[in-house]
Amino acid sequence: MELQRLVGTMEQCACVERELEKVLHRFVTYGHQSEERLDELLRSVCEIRGQLLAFGVQDADISVLSQTMAQCCKNIKETVQMLASRHKDIHGSVSKVGKAIDRNFDAEISAVVAETVWDTPERQKYLSESIVEHLYRQGMLSVAEDLCQESGVVIDMSMKQPFLELNRILEALRMQDLRPALEWAVTNRQRLLDLNSSLEFKLHRLYFISLLSGGITNQMEALQYARHFQPFASQHQRDIQILMGSLVYLRHGIENSPYRSLLETNQWAEICNIFTRDACALLGLSVESPLSVSFASGCMALPVLMNIKQVIEQRQCSGVWTHKDELPIEIDLGKKCWYHSVFACPILRQQTSESNPPMKLICGHVISRDALNKLTNAGKLKCPYCPMEQNPSHAKQIYF
């Protein structure tokens, strides 16, 4: 069933993509034809202008000049009409893309959305804060500030500062400037080691490679810089040996040697990802913002929910899904979206929630609060897994 839904979604996307490719092809063709016709007209007008400047109106044959000007005006008019007609055809193709989207995807999703999800100022504040945090993570600082002013959200400077520094370093890395990242890694060396991170070594490695790409003139500087590898010799011995071995081919160029893989350009994108991951770990943040994770999860869950809603309506069993804050089926979002374990009560066989959290008994066994209340008799509770009798008020909430 899941495979069928996936195949169906891919077919829908392919249908829209085909219409989009037609539009893009027409745009490119229209652009080339427009340039050719306009260049041709421009040359024709320039020739007429040159003739008038060379011979003068007095010497020119008025009848010939009149015919030439009339033909030129006619060509201009025909070109304008032709371009306008083809432009209308493009508008038709663009509208077909919109129709293909409407035909293959559901535009109305209110049936699976809780109407009151953002009805309180507190929830709206949470949403605005999530958007602001996402904008800070993306480096869109001015947009985040504008949103704060318009929404009235107050963000503490202590929250902004880490994102400002993170984006400053990432921007430098995108410009292939390693110095800010190296300074940050050295400052946070011990904390990175506690995370078992290899970020600092990879930064030094990439800086060493940038020296190698400069050729034989950087040989002495590269040898001196190799001293930075000493603290990492035990963990990255093989990588260091490869870097040192590449120095033999420096005179002939690393790109012409067996070590040419050291110059692969994807290393810069990789170091950006590693820095983002480890910096977020030090800040106690996930690599992706809560907003982007929620959006991605919604995109995966929405098609399934729409199909379930359609089946419920077709079979006229509307009572199956009455609470919008609960899902009628379990939706697998993949391990990427697993942030904590989910506890299911072994007594009632129900998943715990905010209103029914797991409770730890004195004996160490865990059951849900609803099960705790049902098992309580005359102010006493006997654990269903061991004979220990205890006071239910001594049970402790361990989640939520």
Side-chain angles (χ1 to χ4, degrees):
M1 187 66 180
E2 191 67 31
L3 180 60
Q4 290 177 348
R5 282 197 295 266
L6 180 61
V7 172
T9 303
M10 292 178 64
E11 290 177 351
Q12 292 168 338
C13 293
C15 180
V16 175
E17 187 178 11
R18 284 193 295 270
E19 294 294 337
L20 189 59
E21 287 176 352
K22 291 179 183 178
V23 174
L24 294 175
H25 177 71
R26 290 196 174 190
F27 264 116
V28 173
T29 304
Y30 177 80
H32 291 326
Q33 292 178 345
S34 299
E35 288 180 4
E36 291 175 0
R37 293 300 296 269
L38 291 174
D39 288 342
E40 185 180 341
L41 285 176
L42 187 60
R43 285 194 298 270
S44 177
V45 172
C46 288
E47 289 177 2
I48 295 174
R49 183 172 179 272
Q51 291 176 4
L52 290 175
L53 291 174
F55 301 106
V57 180
Q58 303 293 336
D59 299 333
D61 189 337
I62 299 299
S63 61
V64 175
L65 180 61
S66 176
Q67 292 177 3
T68 304
M69 294 295 290
Q71 184 62 38
C72 182
C73 292
K74 181 181 178 183
N75 292 339
I76 293 174
K77 186 176 180 180
E78 289 177 352
T79 300
V80 171
Q81 290 177 345
M82 183 269 293
L83 295 178
S85 176
R86 293 185 178 177
H87 195 268
K88 288 181 180 179
D89 293 339
I90 293 178
H91 274 286
S93 300
V94 172
S95 65
K96 287 182 179 179
V97 174
K99 291 177 181 177
I101 294 173
D102 294 338
R103 187 170 59 251
N104 290 281
F105 298 98
D106 292 310
E108 180 56 48
I109 61 172
S110 60
V112 295
V113 177
E115 295 84 355
T116 59
V117 66
W118 305 116
D119 60 346
T120 63
E122 185 180 14
R123 291 179 175 179
Q124 293 175 9
K125 178 174 173 289
Y126 289 151
L127 177 61
S128 298
E129 288 177 349
S130 298
I131 296 174
V132 169
E133 180 185 337
H134 178 77
L135 293 173
Y136 278 137
R137 283 171 173 260
Q138 299 298 314
M140 305 172 70
L141 307 180
S142 60
V143 181
E145 294 296 333
D146 290 342
L147 179 58
C148 287
Q149 292 179 2
E150 294 181 11
S151 63
V153 173
V154 179
I155 303 296
D156 190 78
M157 190 61 194
S158 60
M159 177 184 172
K160 298 180 187 178
Q161 190 59 40
F163 292 118
L164 295 175
E165 184 180 18
L166 189 147
N167 281 288
R168 177 183 64 83
I169 296 173
L170 277 176
E171 188 62 31
L173 287 175
R174 294 187 185 105
M175 300 294 293
Q176 300 190 1
D177 181 6
L178 291 165
R179 295 186 185 278
L182 279 168
E183 292 173 1
W184 183 90
V186 171
T187 304
N188 296 278
R189 175 177 293 171
Q190 188 55 51
R191 297 175 66 192
L192 289 170
L193 290 175
D194 293 340
L195 291 174
N196 197 26
S197 169
S198 60
L199 174 63
E200 186 180 354
F201 170 74
K202 288 183 179 295
L203 288 169
H204 285 304
R205 176 181 177 275
L206 196 53
Y207 191 88
F208 185 84
I209 291 172
S210 67
L211 292 175
L212 295 179
S213 62
I216 193 65
T217 55
N218 292 339
Q219 185 176 25
M220 289 305 301
E221 186 179 356
L223 286 170
Q224 292 175 357
Y225 193 84
R227 296 173 183 173
H228 288 89
F229 295 135
Q230 184 177 356
F232 312 101
S234 59
Q235 291 181 315
H236 302 279
Q237 181 179 357
R238 178 58 180 165
D239 290 327
I240 296 172
Q241 288 174 345
I242 292 173
L243 293 172
M244 293 299 99
S246 65
L247 291 171
V248 177
Y249 295 89
L250 201 57
R251 186 176 299 275
H252 302 287
I254 301 298
E255 63 277 5
N256 302 317
S257 73
Y259 297 92
R260 65 177 69 90
S261 61
L262 293 175
L263 304 179
E264 291 179 353
T265 55
N266 61 353
Q267 296 178 99
W268 290 98
E270 181 186 357
I271 201 66
C272 288
N273 293 333
I274 294 173
F275 171 77
T276 302
R277 182 196 65 199
D278 291 352
C280 287
L282 291 186
L283 294 172
L285 301 170
S286 59
V287 177
E288 297 183 28
S289 71
L291 184 67
S292 61
V293 172
S294 301
F295 179 79
S297 301
C299 289
M300 287 188 282
L302 188 59
V304 181
L305 295 178
M306 295 296 292
N307 289 337
I308 289 294
K309 187 67 178 178
Q310 187 177 5
V311 171
I312 290 174
E313 291 175 350
Q314 288 175 351
R315 298 185 179 180
Q316 298 180 350
C317 46
S318 56
V320 174
W321 188 15
T322 56
H323 301 288
K324 292 289 180 63
D325 58 342
E326 296 179 1
L327 297 178
I329 59 170
E330 183 177 352
I331 298 176
D332 184 12
L333 298 178
K335 290 186 177 181
K336 188 178 181 182
C337 294
W338 288 6
Y339 291 96
H340 55 75
S341 59
V342 176
F343 177 76
C345 177
I347 305 301
L348 300 180
R349 301 186 183 278
Q350 292 178 350
Q351 183 176 313
T352 52
S353 63
E354 219 167 349
S355 58
N356 180 30
M359 307 294 292
K360 182 180 178 181
L361 306 179
I362 295 176
C363 58
H365 293 109
V366 180
I367 59 176
S368 67
R369 179 182 287 172
D370 287 350
L372 177 73
N373 295 333
K374 289 184 178 181
L375 292 172
T376 301
N377 185 16
K380 294 183 178 181
L381 169 69
K382 188 174 182 180
C383 177
Y385 292 99
C386 65
M388 183 176 180
E389 192 170 286
Q390 52 199 290
N391 190 332
S393 63
H394 292 162
K396 293 184 179 181
Q397 182 177 326
I398 62 170
Y399 187 64
F400 295 112

Coordinates of all heavy atoms in Angstrom, one line a residue, residues 128-199:
S128 N 5.7 32.2 15.8 CA 6.6 33.3 15.4 C 8.0 33.0 15.8 O 9.0 33.3 15.1 CB 6.1 34.6 15.9 OG 4.8 34.9 15.4
E129 N 8.2 32.5 17.1 CA 9.5 32.3 17.6 C 10.2 31.2 16.8 O 11.4 31.2 16.5 CB 9.5 31.9 19.0 CG 9.1 33.0 20.0 CD 9.0 32.6 21.4 OE1 8.9 31.3 21.6 OE2 8.9 33.4 22.3
S130 N 9.5 30.2 16.3 CA 10.0 29.1 15.5 C 10.5 29.6 14.2 O 11.6 29.2 13.7 CB 9.0 28.0 15.3 OG 8.6 27.4 16.5
I131 N 9.7 30.5 13.6 CA 10.1 31.1 12.3 C 11.3 32.0 12.4 O 12.2 31.9 11.6 CB 8.9 31.9 11.7 CG1 7.7 31.0 11.4 CG2 9.3 32.6 10.4 CD1 6.4 31.7 11.0
V132 N 11.3 32.8 13.5 CA 12.5 33.7 13.7 C 13.8 32.8 13.9 O 14.8 33.1 13.4 CB 12.2 34.5 15.0 CG1 13.5 35.3 15.4 CG2 11.2 35.6 14.7
E133 N 13.7 31.7 14.7 CA 14.8 30.9 14.9 C 15.3 30.3 13.6 O 16.5 30.2 13.3 CB 14.5 29.8 15.9 CG 15.7 28.8 16.1 CD 15.4 27.7 17.0 OE1 14.4 27.7 17.8 OE2 16.1 26.6 16.9
H134 N 14.4 29.9 12.8 CA 14.7 29.3 11.5 C 15.4 30.3 10.6 O 16.4 30.0 9.9 CB 13.4 28.8 10.7 CG 13.7 28.2 9.4 ND1 14.2 27.0 9.2 CD2 13.5 28.8 8.1 CE1 14.3 26.8 7.9 NE2 13.9 27.9 7.2
L135 N 14.9 31.6 10.6 CA 15.6 32.6 9.8 C 17.0 32.9 10.3 O 17.9 33.2 9.5 CB 14.7 33.9 9.9 CG 13.3 33.8 9.2 CD1 12.5 35.0 9.5 CD2 13.5 33.6 7.7
Y136 N 17.2 32.9 11.7 CA 18.5 33.1 12.2 C 19.4 32.0 11.8 O 20.6 32.2 11.4 CB 18.4 33.1 13.7 CG 18.0 34.5 14.3 CD1 17.1 34.5 15.4 CD2 18.6 35.7 13.8 CE1 16.8 35.8 15.9 CE2 18.2 36.9 14.4 CZ 17.3 36.9 15.4 OH 16.9 38.1 15.9
R137 N 19.0 30.8 11.8 CA 19.8 29.6 11.3 C 20.2 29.7 9.9 O 21.3 29.3 9.5 CB 19.0 28.3 11.5 CG 18.9 27.8 13.0 CD 17.9 26.7 13.1 NE 17.9 26.0 14.4 CZ 18.6 24.9 14.7 NH1 19.3 24.3 13.8 NH2 18.5 24.4 15.9
Q138 N 19.3 30.3 9.0 CA 19.6 30.4 7.6 C 20.4 31.7 7.3 O 20.7 31.9 6.1 CB 18.2 30.5 6.8 CG 17.4 29.2 7.0 CD 18.1 28.0 6.5 OE1 18.6 28.0 5.4 NE2 18.0 26.9 7.2
G139 N 20.7 32.5 8.3 CA 21.5 33.7 8.1 C 20.7 34.9 7.6 O 21.3 35.9 7.2
M140 N 19.4 34.8 7.6 CA 18.5 35.8 7.1 C 18.2 36.8 8.3 O 17.0 36.8 8.8 CB 17.2 35.3 6.5 CG 17.6 34.3 5.4 SD 16.1 33.4 4.7 CE 15.2 34.7 3.9
L141 N 19.2 37.4 8.8 CA 19.1 38.2 10.0 C 18.1 39.4 9.9 O 17.4 39.7 10.8 CB 20.5 38.6 10.5 CG 21.5 37.5 10.6 CD1 22.9 38.1 11.0 CD2 21.1 36.5 11.5
S142 N 18.2 40.1 8.8 CA 17.4 41.3 8.6 C 15.9 40.9 8.5 O 15.1 41.6 9.1 CB 17.8 42.1 7.4 OG 17.7 41.3 6.2
V143 N 15.6 39.8 7.9 CA 14.2 39.3 7.8 C 13.7 38.9 9.1 O 12.6 39.2 9.5 CB 14.1 38.1 6.8 CG1 12.7 37.7 6.7 CG2 14.6 38.5 5.4
A144 N 14.6 38.3 9.9 CA 14.2 37.9 11.3 C 13.9 39.1 12.2 O 12.9 39.1 12.9 CB 15.3 37.0 11.9
E145 N 14.7 40.1 12.0 CA 14.5 41.4 12.8 C 13.2 42.0 12.4 O 12.4 42.5 13.3 CB 15.7 42.3 12.6 CG 17.0 41.8 13.2 CD 17.0 41.7 14.7 OE1 16.2 42.4 15.3 OE2 17.7 40.8 15.2
D146 N 12.9 42.1 11.1 CA 11.6 42.7 10.7 C 10.4 41.9 11.2 O 9.4 42.5 11.6 CB 11.6 42.7 9.1 CG 12.6 43.7 8.5 OD1 13.0 44.6 9.3 OD2 12.9 43.6 7.3
L147 N 10.5 40.6 11.2 CA 9.4 39.7 11.7 C 9.2 40.0 13.2 O 8.1 40.0 13.7 CB 9.7 38.3 11.4 CG 8.7 37.3 12.0 CD1 7.3 37.6 11.4 CD2 9.1 35.8 11.7
C148 N 10.3 40.1 13.9 CA 10.2 40.4 15.4 C 9.5 41.7 15.6 O 8.7 41.8 16.6 CB 11.6 40.5 16.0 SG 12.4 38.8 16.2
Q149 N 9.8 42.7 14.8 CA 9.2 44.0 15.0 C 7.7 44.0 14.7 O 6.8 44.5 15.4 CB 9.9 45.1 14.1 CG 11.3 45.4 14.6 CD 11.9 46.4 13.7 OE1 11.3 46.9 12.7 NE2 13.2 46.7 13.9
E150 N 7.3 43.3 13.6 CA 5.9 43.2 13.2 C 5.1 42.3 14.1 O 3.9 42.6 14.3 CB 5.9 42.8 11.7 CG 6.5 43.7 10.7 CD 6.4 43.3 9.3 OE1 5.6 42.3 9.1 OE2 7.0 43.9 8.4
S151 N 5.7 41.2 14.6 CA 4.9 40.3 15.4 C 5.0 40.6 16.9 O 4.2 40.0 17.6 CB 5.4 38.8 15.1 OG 6.8 38.7 15.5
G152 N 5.9 41.5 17.3 CA 6.0 41.8 18.7 C 6.8 40.8 19.5 O 6.8 40.8 20.7
V153 N 7.5 39.8 18.8 CA 8.3 38.8 19.4 C 9.6 39.4 19.9 O 10.3 40.1 19.2 CB 8.5 37.6 18.5 CG1 9.5 36.6 19.2 CG2 7.2 36.9 18.2
V154 N 9.9 39.2 21.2 CA 11.2 39.7 21.8 C 12.1 38.5 21.9 O 11.9 37.5 22.6 CB 10.9 40.3 23.1 CG1 12.2 40.8 23.7 CG2 9.9 41.5 23.0
I155 N 13.3 38.6 21.2 CA 14.3 37.5 21.2 C 15.5 38.1 22.0 O 16.0 39.1 21.7 CB 14.7 37.1 19.8 CG1 13.5 36.7 19.0 CG2 15.8 36.1 19.8 CD1 12.8 35.4 19.5
D156 N 15.9 37.3 23.0 CA 17.0 37.7 23.8 C 18.3 37.7 23.0 O 18.5 36.8 22.2 CB 17.1 36.8 25.0 CG 18.2 37.3 26.0 OD1 17.8 38.2 26.8 OD2 19.3 36.8 26.0
M157 N 19.2 38.6 23.3 CA 20.5 38.7 22.5 C 21.3 37.4 22.7 O 22.1 37.0 21.8 CB 21.3 39.9 23.0 CG 22.5 40.2 22.1 SD 22.0 40.6 20.4 CE 23.5 40.5 19.6
S158 N 21.2 36.8 23.9 CA 21.9 35.6 24.1 C 21.5 34.5 23.2 O 22.3 33.5 22.9 CB 21.7 35.1 25.6 OG 20.3 34.8 25.8
M159 N 20.3 34.5 22.7 CA 19.8 33.5 21.7 C 20.3 33.9 20.3 O 20.7 33.0 19.5 CB 18.3 33.5 21.7 CG 17.8 32.5 20.6 SD 16.0 32.5 20.6 CE 15.7 31.5 19.1
K160 N 20.4 35.2 20.0 CA 20.9 35.6 18.7 C 22.3 35.4 18.4 O 22.8 35.0 17.4 CB 20.6 37.1 18.5 CG 19.1 37.5 18.5 CD 19.0 39.1 18.3 CE 17.6 39.6 18.6 NZ 17.5 41.0 18.4
Q161 N 23.2 35.7 19.5 CA 24.6 35.7 19.3 C 25.2 34.4 18.7 O 26.0 34.5 17.8 CB 25.3 36.1 20.6 CG 26.8 36.4 20.5 CD 27.1 37.5 19.6 OE1 26.4 38.5 19.6 NE2 28.1 37.4 18.8
P162 N 24.8 33.3 19.2 CA 25.4 32.0 18.6 C 25.1 31.9 17.1 O 26.0 31.5 16.4 CB 24.7 30.9 19.4 CG 24.3 31.5 20.7 CD 23.9 32.9 20.4
F163 N 23.9 32.3 16.7 CA 23.5 32.2 15.3 C 24.3 33.2 14.5 O 24.7 32.9 13.3 CB 22.0 32.4 15.1 CG 21.2 31.3 15.7 CD1 20.3 31.5 16.7 CD2 21.3 30.0 15.3 CE1 19.5 30.5 17.3 CE2 20.6 29.0 15.8 CZ 19.7 29.2 16.8
L164 N 24.5 34.4 15.0 CA 25.3 35.4 14.3 C 26.7 34.9 14.1 O 27.2 35.0 12.9 CB 25.4 36.7 15.1 CG 24.0 37.4 15.4 CD1 24.3 38.6 16.3 CD2 23.5 37.9 14.0
E165 N 27.3 34.3 15.1 CA 28.7 33.8 14.9 C 28.7 32.6 14.0 O 29.6 32.5 13.1 CB 29.2 33.3 16.3 CG 30.7 32.9 16.2 CD 31.2 32.5 17.6 OE1 30.4 32.2 18.5 OE2 32.5 32.4 17.7
L166 N 27.7 31.7 14.1 CA 27.7 30.5 13.3 C 27.5 30.9 11.8 O 28.2 30.3 10.9 CB 26.5 29.6 13.7 CG 26.3 28.2 13.1 CD1 25.7 27.3 14.1 CD2 25.5 28.3 11.8
N167 N 26.7 31.8 11.5 CA 26.5 32.3 10.1 C 27.7 33.0 9.6 O 28.0 32.9 8.4 CB 25.2 33.1 10.0 CG 23.9 32.3 10.0 OD1 23.6 31.6 9.0 ND2 23.2 32.3 11.1
R168 N 28.4 33.8 10.4 CA 29.6 34.5 10.0 C 30.6 33.5 9.6 O 31.3 33.6 8.5 CB 30.1 35.3 11.2 CG 31.4 36.1 10.9 CD 31.9 36.9 12.1 NE 32.2 36.0 13.2 CZ 33.4 35.4 13.3 NH1 34.3 35.5 12.4 NH2 33.6 34.6 14.4
I169 N 30.8 32.4 10.4 CA 31.8 31.4 10.0 C 31.4 30.6 8.8 O 32.2 30.3 7.9 CB 32.0 30.4 11.2 CG1 32.6 31.2 12.4 CG2 32.9 29.3 10.9 CD1 32.6 30.4 13.7
L170 N 30.1 30.3 8.7 CA 29.6 29.5 7.5 C 29.8 30.3 6.2 O 30.2 29.8 5.2 CB 28.2 29.2 7.7 CG 27.9 27.9 8.5 CD1 26.4 27.7 8.7 CD2 28.5 26.7 7.8
E171 N 29.5 31.6 6.3 CA 29.7 32.5 5.2 C 31.2 32.5 4.7 O 31.5 32.5 3.5 CB 29.2 33.9 5.5 CG 29.2 34.8 4.3 CD 28.2 34.4 3.2 OE1 27.2 33.7 3.5 OE2 28.5 34.7 2.0
A172 N 32.1 32.6 5.7 CA 33.5 32.5 5.4 C 33.9 31.2 4.7 O 34.7 31.2 3.8 CB 34.3 32.8 6.7
L173 N 33.3 30.1 5.2 CA 33.6 28.8 4.7 C 33.2 28.7 3.2 O 33.8 28.1 2.4 CB 33.0 27.7 5.5 CG 33.7 27.4 6.8 CD1 32.9 26.3 7.6 CD2 35.1 26.9 6.6
R174 N 32.0 29.3 3.0 CA 31.5 29.3 1.6 C 32.4 30.1 0.7 O 32.4 29.8 -0.6 CB 30.0 29.8 1.6 CG 29.0 28.9 2.3 CD 27.6 29.4 2.1 NE 26.7 28.6 2.9 CZ 26.1 29.0 4.0 NH1 26.4 30.3 4.5 NH2 25.3 28.3 4.7
M175 N 33.1 31.1 1.2 CA 34.1 31.8 0.4 C 35.4 31.2 0.5 O 36.4 31.8 0.1 CB 34.1 33.3 1.0 CG 32.8 34.0 1.0 SD 32.3 34.4 -0.7 CE 33.5 35.5 -1.2
Q176 N 35.5 29.9 1.0 CA 36.7 29.2 1.1 C 37.8 29.9 2.0 O 39.0 29.8 1.8 CB 37.3 28.8 -0.2 CG 36.3 28.0 -1.1 CD 37.0 27.5 -2.4 OE1 38.1 27.7 -2.6 NE2 36.2 26.7 -3.2
D177 N 37.3 30.5 3.1 CA 38.1 31.1 4.1 C 38.0 30.3 5.3 O 37.0 30.3 6.0 CB 37.7 32.6 4.3 CG 38.6 33.3 5.4 OD1 39.6 32.7 5.8 OD2 38.3 34.4 5.8
L178 N 39.1 29.6 5.7 CA 39.1 28.7 6.8 C 39.4 29.3 8.2 O 39.2 28.7 9.2 CB 40.0 27.5 6.5 CG 39.6 26.5 5.4 CD1 40.8 25.7 5.0 CD2 38.4 25.7 5.9
R179 N 40.0 30.5 8.2 CA 40.5 31.0 9.4 C 39.5 31.2 10.5 O 39.8 30.8 11.7 CB 41.3 32.4 9.1 CG 42.5 32.2 8.2 CD 43.3 33.4 8.0 NE 44.4 33.2 7.1 CZ 45.5 32.7 7.4 NH1 45.7 32.3 8.6 NH2 46.5 32.5 6.5
P180 N 38.3 31.8 10.2 CA 37.3 32.0 11.3 C 36.9 30.6 11.9 O 36.8 30.5 13.1 CB 36.1 32.7 10.6 CG 36.7 33.4 9.5 CD 37.8 32.5 9.0
A181 N 36.7 29.6 11.1 CA 36.3 28.3 11.5 C 37.5 27.6 12.4 O 37.2 27.0 13.4 CB 36.0 27.4 10.4
L182 N 38.7 27.8 12.0 CA 39.8 27.3 12.7 C 40.0 27.9 14.1 O 40.2 27.3 15.1 CB 41.1 27.5 11.9 CG 41.4 26.4 10.8 CD1 42.5 26.9 9.9 CD2 41.7 25.1 11.4
E183 N 39.8 29.3 14.1 CA 39.8 30.0 15.4 C 38.7 29.5 16.3 O 39.0 29.3 17.5 CB 39.7 31.5 15.2 CG 40.9 32.1 14.5 CD 40.6 33.5 14.1 OE1 39.5 34.1 14.4 OE2 41.5 34.2 13.5
W184 N 37.5 29.3 15.8 CA 36.4 28.8 16.6 C 36.7 27.3 17.1 O 36.4 27.0 18.3 CB 35.1 28.8 15.8 CG 33.9 28.4 16.5 CD1 33.1 29.1 17.2 CD2 33.4 27.0 16.6 NE1 32.0 28.4 17.8 CE2 32.2 27.1 17.4 CE3 33.8 25.8 16.1 CZ2 31.5 25.9 17.7 CZ3 33.1 24.6 16.4 CH2 31.9 24.7 17.2
A185 N 37.3 26.5 16.2 CA 37.5 25.1 16.6 C 38.6 25.0 17.7 O 38.5 24.2 18.6 CB 38.0 24.3 15.4
V186 N 39.6 25.9 17.6 CA 40.7 25.9 18.6 C 40.2 26.3 19.9 O 40.5 25.8 21.0 CB 41.9 26.8 18.1 CG1 42.9 26.9 19.3 CG2 42.5 26.2 16.9
T187 N 39.3 27.3 19.9 CA 38.7 27.9 21.1 C 37.8 26.8 21.8 O 37.8 26.7 23.1 CB 37.8 29.1 20.8 OG1 38.7 30.1 20.2 CG2 37.3 29.7 22.1
N188 N 37.1 26.0 21.0 CA 36.2 25.0 21.6 C 36.8 23.6 21.4 O 36.0 22.6 21.4 CB 34.9 25.1 20.8 CG 34.1 26.4 21.0 OD1 33.5 26.6 22.0 ND2 34.3 27.3 20.1
R189 N 38.1 23.5 21.4 CA 38.8 22.2 21.2 C 38.3 21.1 22.2 O 38.0 20.0 21.8 CB 40.3 22.3 21.3 CG 41.1 21.0 21.2 CD 42.6 21.3 21.2 NE 43.0 22.0 19.9 CZ 44.2 22.5 19.8 NH1 45.1 22.3 20.7 NH2 44.5 23.1 18.7
Q190 N 38.4 21.4 23.5 CA 38.0 20.4 24.5 C 36.6 19.9 24.4 O 36.3 18.7 24.5 CB 38.3 20.9 25.9 CG 38.2 19.9 27.0 CD 39.1 18.7 26.7 OE1 40.3 18.8 26.5 NE2 38.5 17.5 26.8
R191 N 35.7 20.9 24.1 CA 34.3 20.5 24.0 C 34.0 19.7 22.7 O 33.2 18.7 22.7 CB 33.4 21.8 23.9 CG 33.5 22.6 25.2 CD 32.7 23.9 25.0 NE 31.3 23.6 24.9 CZ 30.4 24.5 24.5 NH1 30.8 25.8 24.2 NH2 29.1 24.2 24.4
L192 N 34.8 19.9 21.7 CA 34.7 19.1 20.4 C 35.2 17.7 20.7 O 34.7 16.7 20.2 CB 35.4 19.8 19.3 CG 34.8 21.1 18.7 CD1 35.7 21.8 17.7 CD2 33.5 20.8 18.0
L193 N 36.3 17.6 21.4 CA 36.9 16.3 21.7 C 35.9 15.5 22.6 O 35.8 14.3 22.4 CB 38.2 16.5 22.5 CG 39.4 17.0 21.7 CD1 40.6 17.3 22.5 CD2 39.8 16.1 20.5
D194 N 35.2 16.2 23.5 CA 34.2 15.5 24.3 C 33.1 14.9 23.4 O 32.5 13.9 23.8 CB 33.6 16.4 25.3 CG 34.6 16.8 26.4 OD1 35.7 16.1 26.5 OD2 34.4 17.9 27.0
L195 N 32.9 15.5 22.3 CA 31.8 15.0 21.3 C 32.4 14.0 20.4 O 31.7 13.5 19.5 CB 31.2 16.2 20.5 CG 30.4 17.2 21.3 CD1 30.0 18.3 20.3 CD2 29.1 16.5 21.8
N196 N 33.7 13.7 20.5 CA 34.4 12.8 19.6 C 34.4 13.4 18.1 O 34.2 12.7 17.2 CB 33.9 11.4 19.6 CG 34.8 10.4 19.0 OD1 36.0 10.6 19.0 ND2 34.2 9.3 18.5
S197 N 34.5 14.7 18.0 CA 34.4 15.4 16.7 C 35.8 15.5 16.1 O 36.8 15.6 16.7 CB 33.9 16.8 16.9 OG 34.0 17.6 15.8
S198 N 35.8 15.3 14.8 CA 37.0 15.4 14.0 C 37.1 16.8 13.2 O 37.8 16.9 12.2 CB 37.1 14.3 13.0 OG 36.0 14.3 12.1
L199 N 36.2 17.7 13.6 CA 36.1 19.0 12.9 C 37.5 19.7 12.8 O 37.9 20.1 11.7 CB 35.1 19.9 13.6 CG 35.0 21.3 13.0 CD1 34.5 21.3 11.5 CD2 34.0 22.2 13.8

